Amino acid sequence: MSQVPSDRVYSDSHEWLMDNGDGTATVGISEHAQEALGDLVFVETPSVGDELSAKQACAVVESVKAASDIYSPISGEVVEVNELLSETPELINGDAHGEGWIFRLKIADPTEIDDLLDADAYGELIAED
Amino acid sequence: MPFIPHTPEDTSEMLATIGAASIEELFDEIPPELRAGDISGLAQSLMRPEPEMAVARLMQERARADGEPLCFLGAGAYEHHIPAAVWQLATRGEFYSAYTPYQAEASQGTLQVLYEFQSMMTALTGLDASNASLYDGASALAEAALMAVRANRKVKDKRVLMPASVHPFYRQTVRSIVRHQGIELVEVPYDPTGGHTTISALEQAAAGKPFAALVIPQPNVFGVLEEVDSLTDWAHQHNALVIGLVNPVALALLSPPGEWGTQSEKSGGADIACGEGQPLGMPLASGGPYLGFLCCTQALVRQLPGRIAGKTLDLDGNPGYTLTLQAREQHIRRSKATSNICTNQGLLVTAATIHLSLLGAEGLERVAAACHANTRALIARLCEIPGIEPVFDRPVFHEQLLRLPRPTEDILKALAAENILAGFNLGRSYPELDGSLLVCATETRTESDIDRFRDALGRALS
């Protein structure tokens, strides 16, 4: 079974979100999601400055067998994207919870984070898959 | 062998499984007036015991009625010479199918044809990538508009500037396809003297608001050549993408969309090119089937609908072909596939590929040059007739709009009686152009054809 680090929260659409403690949060896709997708060949990141609302499709990950939308777990403005992914999308396959982060956003409403799943709840969710 | 696969026993077994007593009961949800059970409207001749023979006879009669008129009609569909080898080869059993194979079923030969087609289309348009065809030129333009709106990340506004000089049927098709996607098509009026699109008209139409893309037809529906370089630069200065709507034969002489604009690092070249592939080996056949093509820059390749065939080497170093980069195909993109375009016009792609291979770059250039020369000769001859003159004063490729001294429909009827298709009446779509006629001459028209047209037109007007 995939790792589910407990230092972050998860959405039911398989994104993780880590509160950086400085008013920003980092977003990526879970280890479980990258395993399900298989070898990634392309990542379309959002643009810095994009205003996202919670559950809005904002990025695309494309593998050899499917292309999937990535949804922003919470609302906020994109402040940084992982530029390395344009050349090396496989970073997500290798280290989905670290090097393979996708974007950072300025948290608009911290209470939205409370609606996301903790590691235990997410672990249960993917155990059902 | 029966062509209906179900025996009466099969049918009753299937009905029993789903618990219906009869076919009638199976369809009882459909109101009787909507069912096509009554075929009494069909001609009696088709109801005879030998229906195949009756249908064949009827179609032959209709074909004879069509005759083989002398054609000066263009406006999006063109009579070109097609070397006999094109359809001799395209209809070989290995290629000849109404069905487009999916990845797992596509033979290396089919994949190689797609690869060659795409290579030739990118060479013609000066762009990086081509898909393996769409239904026709009009739907290719619609796909290009959708693609541009998706891809343009600098501009969030879903507005596309669409010159009135784009073929009215194409504009209708685009409208039908994009209207439920929140895309606004902004019409740009053409210059009444030149029949082309001007920067000031664009400025006015854009009204200072951002837009995602500009469509540039080259040549446009009046046959007129647009100032593609300045239009491309202008669109790029406004952060919009450029969609070139082009005639593939004309591209043998005109600059390819990939080279439009001033070619500065940021501005050069159209981003997308699309158009109708019918001039590349498809006969005029009562309106179809036709072949849409769509090409783009590398930056947009993941927004391109359809399939791309790639070439690679296998472990033993042998060349191999495979479908790749099909980010907008159903099985990759699921609900985000653009129009569920998976079926391409495979057989027509095969014909176009053979046609272009036989002509070669020089052959296509000769065809284009002959079209242009014949059109100039045609215009010169027709304008000898008093009262006939070009409506617009700008250069054309192989079509020109002429002003007539008598109502266009009368002229079309009079010439049809002499078995001449005189041209296209644009007044039906542009009321201000009432009393004009769009005429076209391809490489297939001879001096004596042109003389015959001139004489018949002279008689009709006298």
Side-chain angles (χ1 to χ4, degrees), chain A residues 47-53 56 58 75-78 106 108, chain B residues 156:
Chain A
S47 304
V48 171
D50 282 358
E51 292 280 353
L52 304 177
S53 46
Q56 181 185 339
C58 61
S75 313
E77 182 192 336
V78 177
K106 193 159 87 191
Chain B
K156 304 283 178 206

Side-chain angles (χ1 to χ4, degrees), chain B residues 49-81:
Chain B
E50 311 86 8
E52 183 180 338
M53 200 168 83
V55 169
R57 199 159 44 225
L58 178 73
M59 297 317 285
Q60 279 159 6
E61 273 165 28
R62 298 242 164 114
R64 267 197 299 279
D66 275 351
E68 281 187 7
L70 187 55
C71 182
F72 292 92
L73 176 60
Y78 302 96
E79 184 184 8
H80 288 288
H81 172 67

Side-chain angles (χ1 to χ4, degrees), chain B residues 5-33:
Chain B
H6 307 137
T7 63
E9 291 75 33
D10 293 336
T11 305
S12 2
E13 203 178 315
M14 288 191 282
L15 287 171
T17 303
I18 57 174
S22 65
I23 293 278
E24 267 311 296
E25 196 185 310
L26 181 66
F27 292 138
D28 65 0
E29 272 181 71
I30 304 170
E33 67 272 21

